[in-house]
Structure formats: structure tokens, C-alpha cells
Amino acid sequence: MVLVDEVVRPDAVRFRSSSTPQHLIHVTLSGEVRQSAGGQIEHFRGGDVTWYHEAEPVEGEILRAPWRFITISFVAPGLSPPPADRRVFPGGAQTIPLARQVLELWRNRQRPALERALLSSARLA
């Protein structure tokens, strides 16, 4: 586990960025976005999961703000990401609560860093 955070993009704007060099999952809590990631056109909204891999170029537009998401970055060299045309998918009823649990475990400063990382990784799995 590298990073877990909640990110808020408050305005409906165009953006350009790059994903991280490992696996990166965004669980969208609110908002609506259309983007191109690694050349693949994607559209997602609250409840959807987006999986990035290996520092892909990303550019897009926030169609409905605020765009709020939980971002989870992790290293797993033996794990292949879903195929490019299936890296945005609807989350189930438990997706957002589970993502919030991962975030809560990651942020719990009453636990040692290694324990937080292990518990967060276990919940992600």
C-alpha cells in the first residue's frame, strides 16, 4: 500500500495529469467525469470504480462537480489490471463503505504505520 486519501475537485473544469507508476484505484463518491486514460475514453460517476496502471496519461473534464473520490495506490507486480476497455466499472452496494474503511484504517495514527498498511491492504483485497 502506497497511499490512500480522499480527494475533492470542487469545480467543473478540464484537467490533465498522469496516474501513479503502480496500481491506482479511484472509487468515485460524487460527481461525473469524462476522460481519456491511456488513450481509452471513459465516463464515470458516483459509485463507479476506475483502475489506472503504470503512469498513464490522463486528460478529461469534470462534467458535474464536485468530483469526490477515494484514491488507493498500491504495488502488486504480479497483479494485472483489468483490460483497458473494462477499467471503469460500477461498484456494488459495499464498494463505497469498503473504500471508506480502507481510508479509515490508513488514517488511523493510533496504529503503527506497518500495521495500518497491512490492515488497509487486507481490506482492499
Side-chain angles (χ1 to χ4, degrees), residues 1 4-6 10 12 17 19 27 35 38 41 50 53 69 76 86 95 105 108 110 116 123:
M1 191 71 68
V4 182
D5 202 3
E6 185 171 342
S17 65
S19 65
V27 177
Q35 70 181 19
I41 302 297
T50 308
H53 189 252
F69 57 94
R86 291 193 218 156
T95 301
L105 288 165
N108 183 349
Q110 295 179 359
R116 290 192 331 256
R123 179 52 62 186

Side-chain angles (χ1 to χ4, degrees), residues 2-96:
V2 176
L3 172 74
V4 182
D5 202 3
E6 185 171 342
V7 180
V8 179
R9 302 287 186 239
D11 301 315
V13 297
R14 296 192 58 77
F15 61 89
R16 181 175 291 171
S17 65
S18 178
S19 65
T20 58
Q22 56 276 341
H23 293 277
L24 179 67
I25 294 176
H26 288 169
V27 177
T28 301
L29 305 174
S30 68
E32 184 175 358
V33 175
R34 181 178 46 234
Q35 70 181 19
S36 172
Q40 183 73 34
I41 302 297
E42 302 166 337
H43 183 243
F44 51 91
R45 59 183 60 90
D48 289 343
V49 177
T50 308
W51 191 318
Y52 304 91
H53 189 252
E54 295 300 329
E56 298 173 296
V58 179
E59 60 181 76
E61 180 178 10
I62 299 171
L63 303 173
R64 187 170 38 88
W67 176 26
R68 180 182 302 268
F69 57 94
I70 294 175
T71 185
I72 303 169
S73 176
F74 61 99
V75 177
L79 177 65
S80 296
D85 63 341
R86 291 193 218 156
R87 287 196 273 166
V88 174
F89 48 92
Q94 291 299 312
T95 301
I96 289 175

